[in-house]
Amino acid sequence: MDEKSKVLIIGATGNLGYHLAEFSLKFSHPTFVLVRDSAFNDPVKVQKLQSLSNCGATLIKGSLEDEKSLLEAVKQVEVVICSIPSKHVLEQMALVRVIKEAGCIKRFIPSEFGADPDRIQISDMDHNFYLRKAEIRRLVEAEGIPYTYISCNFLMSYLLPSLVQPGLKTPPRDKIRVFGDGNVKAVFVKEQDVAAFTICSMDDPRTLNKVLYLRPPGNVCSMNELVEIWESKIRKKLEKIYVSEDELLIKIKETPYPDNMQMIFIYSAFVKGDHTYFDIDSHSGAEGTQLFPNVKYATISEFLETLLEQASISE
């Protein structure tokens, strides 16, 4: 049996980062977690780190701002996975320098985990959200660092709990706004499943220097389809209020940044079709569920079922 790659996870106290570390350990990879000193002052982060440590993770003190500690951490592994908040994405420039200097990394997975920044059609209105991610891509490629980019589109914890209704925390029971014509499809993937596909991909030669797209069957849905699934679960028809592209654009312009970002992402996915308007080019990308058919994942229908159960408990 091939020896499992040693992995460094950066951002393991975050939501997705924690699951990445969990699945790295679950799949028997020697797992190292970069931890900044301030994390030990946060009870929630301490609990996560203790849990990972108990499962076998090695905690290494350091940060993206401290290149010396970063280099020491990177030299201990073969794979680096970064999962940090989008506003900090450009801080990976230091990480790229360190990976280049270390010379031992056979795969780098930078912090993306969303729509493909090279395919986005809203670059003039996203406040450089995707431009920053594309900038890291170009730097990685220019330095000749082996990579895999993970394009999972929407995480299920984002927008889906409200059925894509900005301002709501739970799905509506009477009226629902449908953006655009309601027929453009977007993609949702549960965080744990994104982590599982990511860990599967990092040693696989089929994903080397490619984008791993996640478009799981059952998780590629239009707004009209989302409404139908929800209606079938609550056994009630909702009143659909269609919001045209022009109306949505006006609302986006009227709403200050960053409060308008949810609507910008909705416009990108459900009006422009940025998750699904293109076919995956086999020379530069691959689809995760086709490469790794044994990975079990949660469907949108199953996720909405849990929301219904939670609502029943709270009533």
Side-chain angles (χ1 to χ4, degrees):
M1 185 175 176
D2 292 338
E3 189 175 335
K4 297 278 189 174
S5 290
K6 297 175 183 176
V7 187
L8 175 66
I9 309 286
I10 299 172
T13 56
N15 186 17
L16 177 59
Y18 180 73
H19 293 307
L20 286 164
E22 269 191 323
F23 275 92
S24 178
L25 291 163
K26 181 178 179 180
F27 293 164
S28 303
H29 289 275
T31 303
F32 299 76
V33 172
L34 192 71
V35 186
R36 59 173 67 240
D37 285 332
S38 60
F40 295 101
N41 299 323
D42 184 325
V44 174
K45 291 181 178 180
V46 168
Q47 187 175 11
K48 287 183 175 181
L49 292 170
Q50 187 63 56
S51 175
L52 293 174
S53 179
N54 290 344
C55 291
T58 300
L59 306 185
I60 303 176
K61 285 190 178 182
S63 71
L64 292 176
E65 295 84 26
D66 180 1
E67 291 194 26
K68 182 181 178 183
S69 66
L70 198 56
L71 181 60
E72 290 174 359
V74 168
K75 281 183 174 180
Q76 298 185 56
V77 300
E78 292 102 29
V79 175
V80 176
I81 304 176
C82 192
S83 176
I84 58 177
S86 58
K87 62 184 177 181
H88 298 305
V89 159
L90 290 181
E91 293 176 17
Q92 293 176 109
M93 287 181 172
L95 178 58
V96 172
R97 285 196 299 271
V98 164
I99 288 173
K100 180 72 172 179
E101 181 180 346
C104 58
I105 299 305
K106 64 181 185 181
R107 195 77 61 97
F108 174 42
I109 300 178
S111 191
E112 287 198 9
F113 304 105
D116 185 341
D118 289 336
R119 297 284 193 168
I120 289 297
Q121 305 170 93
I122 58 157
S123 57
D124 58 334
M125 60 187 293
D126 69 343
H127 302 276
N128 294 328
F129 181 89
Y130 290 108
L131 183 64
R132 293 191 292 267
K133 295 184 177 186
E135 193 173 335
I136 294 300
R137 282 190 176 191
R138 302 295 83 84
L139 182 60
V140 168
E141 292 156 8
E143 294 292 355
I145 294 169
Y147 65 83
T148 299
Y149 304 138
I150 307 297
S151 180
C152 58
N153 301 298
F154 284 145
L155 300 174
M156 278 190 178
S157 64
Y158 187 74
L159 290 175
L160 197 55
S162 69
L163 219 64
V164 196
Q165 303 297 292
L168 296 186
K169 293 184 177 180
T170 57
R173 296 294 186 110
D174 298 303
K175 299 178 181 180
I176 187 164
R177 288 169 293 169
V178 177
F179 299 97
D181 63 10
N183 295 322
V184 178
K185 293 179 184 288
V187 183
F188 291 89
V189 188
K190 196 171 183 179
E191 284 83 342
Q192 290 92 326
D193 301 332
V194 173
F197 282 110
T198 300
I199 300 303
C200 285
S201 75
M202 68 186 190
D203 278 337
D204 196 305
R206 297 173 297 175
T207 62
L208 177 61
N209 296 338
K210 290 187 177 183
V211 182
L212 183 72
Y213 295 96
L214 298 183
R215 294 179 179 177
N219 290 17
V220 184
C221 276
S222 68
M223 282 210 69
N224 285 331
E225 290 168 336
L226 286 176
V227 173
E228 286 179 13
I229 295 170
W230 184 241
E231 286 176 335
S232 70
K233 293 187 182 300
I234 63 173
R235 298 177 183 178
K236 179 183 178 182
K237 288 289 184 182
L238 301 180
E239 178 188 344
K240 293 181 184 177
I241 301 168
Y242 283 88
V243 179
S244 71
E245 178 174 354
D246 288 341
E247 289 172 321
L248 180 55
L249 286 172
I250 290 170
K251 187 67 174 173
I252 288 170
K253 288 178 181 177
E254 289 176 346
T255 306
Y257 172 82
D259 296 339
N260 60 1
M261 285 305 292
Q262 268 199 352
M263 289 183 286
I264 289 170
F265 291 135
I266 290 169
Y267 177 72
S268 167
F270 286 105
V271 177
K272 301 298 288 183
D274 283 343
H275 293 182
T276 56
Y277 76 88
F278 58 93
D279 293 327
I280 297 171
D281 180 355
S282 61
H283 295 292
S284 59
E287 200 285 313
T289 61
Q290 293 180 11
L291 289 189
F292 310 110
N294 293 330
V295 175
K296 305 299 181 186
Y297 61 87
T299 64
I300 285 175
S301 179
E302 290 166 349
F303 182 82
L304 293 180
E305 190 67 37
T306 63
L307 295 183
L308 189 62
E309 291 169 359
Q310 290 168 5
S312 300
I313 292 170
S314 62
E315 288 175 357

